């Protein structure tokens, strides 16, 4: 799956994707006829509030959830219904990092063990595996000698999240999907995690799908922004356009509700 | 400025560890909340914010022990220590009624199959067993009307409410007894921006209507704090390192840690588009074995030789105080920011 692509073809695309859930008394359309394209080496942010359908879209792109209708294309090939070995190789290429770095760890395993287990199916020699772990921990700014012996509870939230990114990178993915991966972090840890993603995009040409409710993070990291509301894409474009010149009322409201560090200082009477 | 509502002095709280090595998560902290004001408490994850909130709300449970600390509030002088015999009995009358805590993650802790009205009755009865259902519900519905919130919510089950509405309800319920001080621990962190805004507006309305006379608002989210607070206290590794009026801190940080936290904030602005923020190198220390001198010194780009040797004492400049050797040498100067333009 590594033939070169011309820059016009998106690496990954969803076209006219819809997801409906059966609920008491009818259907709920969580994602409604959404089309998005991810281009090589770019960061695309999907921004929206809870219930906007952004995580459902992500799960369909990851092939963790079937689509109700629509098509998912990877490197020009329809992957909407692939199975077995084809699906496994898709899952190797498209990796994901989720919100809660604690939930995805087994408490009783060291970081080294967790990383090795993830590669169990790859049949690599010990030495190759060690070198790979070292490289990937290096990508996320962790010292391998320190980190591999640690248990999850001995790491800070930011460190755990970086280990998760390292685990995803060990598969040498083409696309990394981060679903609220930095939301639980403090501002300072968050910035370091975003810097890691930025470096990976620049140095490895990784394509990043960044899902967030925080428009400030999208502003820092993304090349393009897609805004979702109630399952629909209401606005899309290059980051500067969407954030500094929003057209849709929902985007404007999202932006105006963001507390601004200096602009919204509480007015004091005294 | 009107008087001081609450002043807590020299509060120290430790987690007793199995290994016998205690972890002082709050170390000799002094802070005050002026009458009618909202004090923000900020700092990185694990710096002791929740621990301090629990100590002040007198709900420290083992393995957490408050080993020292006094709180003056409302003509009461309370010994916060949980070690003295009968401390629990002594604290009981103040819990909920004088100081009420809205715990971190409270909205997820309520059972989805509980109706809000049941929660109201439970909370009122926990304080006073004689309260009738009718009295409790009347009080709650008056309160909701006062805050221009729909009273029908009382009849709904927790799982029927959106996250934002659930959090607002938990906030209303935890202030039904009109506590002098509300301590709200990360009340907005799990919410979308629009629900955050609604909660903040409600909280401001509650203070304005004197439902409570002061609030400690705990979060690591500085933009939220800048919107809602009058004063800020910044915590690092179990200690307060800087405190002052919010506007002053945000625009003229005197402590390098405050300054680093502030420059890590990502607002959706043109500046954020072009800047490369470095964040704070390294990670917060192990509180069981904190660095000597200034606890921030291993991560501070202003550190000088004395920083690792001597602990900086508080320097008071008008109503702004800071504990830092750099600040000591540079009276009234704002910490220069280190932002690399990409
Ligand atoms: N039960 C416990 N036993 C031992 N140590 C604990 C316990 N609970 C918390 N700690 C430690 O006490 C310190 C302070 O924790 P605390 O929860 O007060 O931090 P916080 O500032 O509220 O963090 P956050 O922003 O993540 O909520 C941390 O270093 C934590 O590891
Ligand atoms: S005392 Fe020294 S190390 Fe601590 S914050 Fe100030 S300059 Fe930095
Ligand atoms: Mg906390």
């Amino acid at each position: 799956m590594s033939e070169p692509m011309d820059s016009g073809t998106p690496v990954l695309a969803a076209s006219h994707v819809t997801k409906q859930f059966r609920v008491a008394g009818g259907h709920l359309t969580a994602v409604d006829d959404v089309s998005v394209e991810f281009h090589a080496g770019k960061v695309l942010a999907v921004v929206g509030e809870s219930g906007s359908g952004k995580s459902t879209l992500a799960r369909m792109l990851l092939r963790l959830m079937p689509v109700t209708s629509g098509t998912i294309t990877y490197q020009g090939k329809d992957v909407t219904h692939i199975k077995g070995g084809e699906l496994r190789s898709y899952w190797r290429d498209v990796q994901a990092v989720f919100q809660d770095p604690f939930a995805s760890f087994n408490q009783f395993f060291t970081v080294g063990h967790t990383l090795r287990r993830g590669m169990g199916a790859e049949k690599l020699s010990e030495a190759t595996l060690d070198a790979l772990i070292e490289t990937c921990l290096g990508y996320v700014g962790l010292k391998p000698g320190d980190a591999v012996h640690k248990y999850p509870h001995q790491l800070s939230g930011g460190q755990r999240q970086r280990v998760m990114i390292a685990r995803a990178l060990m598969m040498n993915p083409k696309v990394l999907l981060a679903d609220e991966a930095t939301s639980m972090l403090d501002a300072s840890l968050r910035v370091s995690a975003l810097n890691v993603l930025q470096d990976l995009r620049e140095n490895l040409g990784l394509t990043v799908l960044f899902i967030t409710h925080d428009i400030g993070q999208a502003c820092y990291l993304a090349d393009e922004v897609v805004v979702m509301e109630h399952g629909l894409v209401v606005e899309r474009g290059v980051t500067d356009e969407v954030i500094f010149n929003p057209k849709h009322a929902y985007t404007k409201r999202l932006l105006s509700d963001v507390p601004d560090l200096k602009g919204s200082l509480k007015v004091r009477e005294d | 400025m009107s008087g001081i509502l609450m002043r807590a002095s020299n509060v120290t709280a430790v987690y007793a560890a199995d290994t016998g090595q205690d972890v002082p998560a709050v170390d000799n902290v002094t802070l005050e909340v002026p009458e009618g004001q909202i004090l923000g408490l900020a700092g990185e994850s694990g710096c002791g914010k929740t621990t301090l909130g629990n100590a002040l709300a007198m709900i420290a449970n083992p393995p957490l022990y408050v080993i020292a600390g006094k709180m003056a509030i409302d003509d009461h002088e309370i010994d916060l220590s949980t070690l003295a015999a009968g401390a629990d009995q002594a604290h009981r009358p103040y819990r909920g009624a004088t100081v009420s805590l809205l715990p971190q993650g409270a909205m997820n802790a309520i059972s989805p199959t509980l109706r809000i009205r049941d929660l109201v009755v439970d909370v009122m009865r926990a304080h006073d067993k004689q309260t009738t259902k009718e009295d409790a519900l009347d009080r709650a519905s008056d309160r909701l009307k006062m805050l221009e919130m729909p009273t029908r919510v009382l009849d709904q089950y927790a799982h029927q409410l959106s996250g934002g509405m659930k959090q607002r309800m938990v906030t209303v319920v935890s202030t039904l007894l009109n506590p002098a001080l509300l301590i709200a621990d990360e009340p907005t962190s799990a919410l979308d921006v629009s629900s955050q805004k609604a909660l903040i507006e409600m909280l401001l309305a509650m203070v304005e209507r004197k439902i409570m006379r002061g609030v400690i608002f705990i979060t690591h989210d500085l933009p939220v704090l800048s919107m809602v607070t009058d004063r800020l206290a910044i915590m690092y590794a179990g200690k307060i390192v800087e405190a002052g009026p919010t506007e002053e801190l945000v625009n003229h940080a005197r402590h390098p840690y405050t300054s680093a936290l502030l420059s890590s904030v990502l607002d959706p602005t043109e500046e954020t588009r072009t800047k490369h923020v470095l964040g704070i190198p390294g990670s917060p220390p192990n509180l069981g074995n904190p660095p000597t001198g200034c606890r921030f010194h291993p991560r501070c780009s202003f550190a000088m030789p004395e920083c690792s040797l001597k602990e900086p004492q508080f320097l008071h400049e008008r109503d702004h105080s800071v504990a830092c050797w750099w600040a000591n040498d540079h009276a009234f100067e704002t910490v220069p920011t280190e932002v690399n333009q990409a």
Side-chain angles (χ1 to χ4, degrees):
Chain A
M1 282 203 169
S2 55
E3 57 269 41
M5 287 184 315
D6 66 275
S7 58
T9 319
V11 185
L12 181 65
S15 70
H16 303 288
V17 165
T18 293
K19 180 73 195 181
Q20 289 189 324
F21 294 104
R22 234 172 302 231
V23 291
H27 291 289
L28 178 126
T29 307
V31 172
D32 195 352
D33 192 22
V34 166
S35 300
V36 275
E37 292 185 347
F38 306 93
H39 291 277
K42 298 272 187 219
V43 178
L44 179 97
V46 176
V47 177
E49 296 187 298
S50 66
S52 62
K54 53 194 197 308
S55 292
T56 308
L57 175 66
R59 270 178 234 132
M60 290 191 287
L61 282 165
L62 281 168
R63 284 294 323 274
L64 295 174
M65 181 188 269
V67 301
T68 304
S69 62
T71 319
I72 295 168
T73 320
Y74 176 64
Q75 295 185 328
K77 181 175 177 298
D78 185 344
V79 295
T80 326
H81 303 290
I82 53 168
K83 292 194 183 67
E86 269 190 313
L87 183 56
R88 279 196 296 279
S89 106
Y90 177 70
W91 280 340
R92 216 169 294 139
D93 280 11
V94 182
Q95 289 282 320
V97 183
F98 292 103
Q99 178 161 11
D100 185 358
F102 216 82
S104 12
F105 270 113
N106 185 321
Q107 297 286 24
F108 303 108
F109 293 156
T110 60
V111 166
H113 188 95
T114 301
L115 294 180
R116 279 161 189 281
R117 256 168 61 105
M119 298 299 286
E122 304 298 306
K123 306 207 170 38
L124 301 173
S125 74
E126 278 298 298
T128 318
L129 200 50
D130 283 341
L132 186 60
I133 289 177
E134 179 153 350
T135 313
C136 292
L137 286 174
Y139 284 146
V140 297
L142 291 174
K143 288 191 212 77
D146 270 1
V148 290
H149 304 295
K150 295 241 164 90
Y151 288 90
H153 67 93
Q154 294 172 311
L155 300 172
S156 74
Q159 290 169 331
R160 285 198 291 267
Q161 198 56 283
R162 283 189 270 170
V163 171
M164 291 316 294
I165 298 174
R167 181 163 89 168
L169 292 177
M170 285 179 65
M171 294 287 181
N172 189 22
K174 308 284 182 296
V175 179
L176 185 71
L177 194 152
D179 187 358
E180 299 283 9
T182 47
S183 304
M184 304 288 280
L185 304 178
D186 307 328
S188 56
L189 294 175
R190 178 182 294 161
V191 164
S192 342
L194 295 179
N195 288 343
V196 167
L197 293 179
Q198 212 164 43
D199 291 348
L200 292 171
R201 190 253 315 254
E202 264 152 42
N203 302 332
L204 305 182
L206 195 69
T207 305
V208 180
L209 166 52
F210 187 76
I211 296 180
T212 183
H213 67 276
D214 181 359
I215 218 159
Q217 291 182 61
C219 180
Y220 186 62
L221 190 68
D223 300 298
E224 286 175 84
V225 176
V226 166
V227 183
M228 284 185 75
E229 183 193 20
H230 303 316
L232 293 165
V233 169
V234 296
E235 182 154 4
R236 67 172 85 218
V238 295
T239 307
D240 289 297
E241 271 302 303
V242 174
I243 296 184
F244 303 127
N245 191 14
K247 303 281 186 306
H248 195 277
Y250 179 71
T251 315
K252 289 182 190 166
R253 207 207 76 212
L254 265 187
L255 278 159
S256 72
D257 282 351
V258 176
D260 159 10
L261 186 60
K262 302 210 170 165
S264 49
L265 280 166
K266 192 176 166 187
V267 184
R268 267 161 291 268
E269 296 94 67
D270 53 21
Chain B
M1 192 167 27
S2 40
I4 298 299
L5 169 69
M6 189 282 298
R7 181 181 163 84
S9 9
N10 309 102
V11 182
T12 296
V14 305
Y15 287 97
D18 308 335
T19 55
Q21 189 206 29
D22 292 347
V23 178
V26 172
D27 192 353
N28 197 18
V29 163
T30 292
L31 89 173
E32 30 179 68
V33 179
E35 183 80 42
Q37 292 204 359
I38 304 184
L39 170 75
L41 184 61
E44 281 175 302
S45 178
C47 70
K49 305 182 294 295
T50 296
T51 310
L52 177 58
N54 290 353
L56 298 178
M58 294 164 275
I59 56 144
N61 288 315
L64 176 62
Y65 297 91
V66 179
I67 58 174
K70 297 247 182 307
M71 173 159 72
I73 183 166
D74 232 10
D75 303 328
H76 307 293
E77 175 79 28
I78 308 169
D79 183 349
L80 294 173
S81 165
T82 53
L83 299 178
D88 187 51
Q89 280 299 326
H91 291 157
R92 189 160 299 161
Y94 301 113
R95 255 180 234 145
T98 304
V99 182
S100 178
L101 178 79
L102 181 59
Q104 185 163 4
M107 87 184 190
N108 299 320
I110 49 175
S111 159
T113 56
L114 199 67
R115 280 178 306 179
I116 300 302
R117 55 191 301 141
D118 306 326
L119 187 68
V120 166
V121 176
D122 284 358
V123 167
M124 295 296 288
R125 287 217 176 127
H127 178 66
D128 178 1
K129 287 195 188 66
Q130 312 301 321
T131 316
T132 65
K133 228 178 203 169
E134 289 67 38
D135 285 349
L137 292 175
D138 282 351
R139 193 181 178 96
S141 82
D142 287 350
R143 185 56 56 83
L144 289 175
K145 283 180 201 143
M146 181 195 227
L147 297 167
E148 291 164 17
M149 307 259 295
T151 52
R152 64 180 152 74
V153 180
L154 288 172
D155 295 319
Q156 287 182 298
Y157 290 91
H159 75 88
Q160 294 174 309
L161 304 178
S162 68
M165 183 55 98
K166 220 180 342 179
Q167 184 68 293
R168 270 173 281 160
M169 283 300 137
V170 176
T171 309
V172 168
V173 172
S174 63
T175 51
L176 281 176
L177 298 169
N178 292 13
L181 178 69
L182 172 71
I183 302 177
D185 193 357
E186 304 279 2
T188 51
S189 306
L191 304 179
D192 285 331
V193 283
S194 52
S195 311
Q196 275 187 353
K197 196 173 165 212
L199 183 89
I200 289 170
E201 281 167 357
M202 188 186 83
L203 212 54
L204 293 173
M206 289 171 115
V207 173
E208 194 169 311
R209 282 157 203 263
K210 301 198 170 28
I211 290 172
M212 57 271 184
R213 287 154 47 208
V215 179
I216 298 181
F217 193 117
I218 302 178
T219 179
H220 60 256
D221 190 336
L222 288 168
V224 163
L225 287 179
S226 79
M227 195 167 157
V228 71
T229 63
D230 301 282
R231 294 178 62 80
L232 278 180
I234 308 291
M235 240 182 134
Y236 184 76
K239 289 186 168 293
I240 303 242
V241 296
E242 180 166 15
T246 303
E247 206 171 342
E248 277 255 335
L249 254 81
V250 166
N251 291 313
H252 304 287
R254 295 275 291 128
H255 196 284
Y257 176 63
T258 309
S259 171
L261 275 185
L262 287 165
S263 48
S264 302
V265 168
L266 302 174
D267 282 335
T269 56
E270 308 260 359
E271 196 198 341
T272 298
R273 258 332 263 154
T274 49
K275 72 182 174 181
H276 182 71
V277 190
L278 295 173
I280 305 174
S283 44
N286 171 1
L287 292 178
N289 182 19
T292 54
C294 169
R295 293 182 174 185
F296 189 53
H297 85 257
R299 305 174 71 191
C300 180
S301 42
F302 295 83
M304 306 166 268
E306 68 244 52
C307 296
S308 57
L309 302 174
K310 287 182 294 179
E311 186 180 334
Q313 298 304 304
F314 264 105
L315 175 70
H316 300 281
E317 295 169 337
R318 293 190 298 265
D319 56 352
H320 189 158
S321 31
V322 59
C324 164
W325 294 118
W326 180 90
N328 240 311
D329 293 348
H330 299 79
F332 295 100
E333 266 179 55
T334 308
V335 178
T337 46
E338 303 173 86
V339 173
N340 290 0
Q341 294 295 331

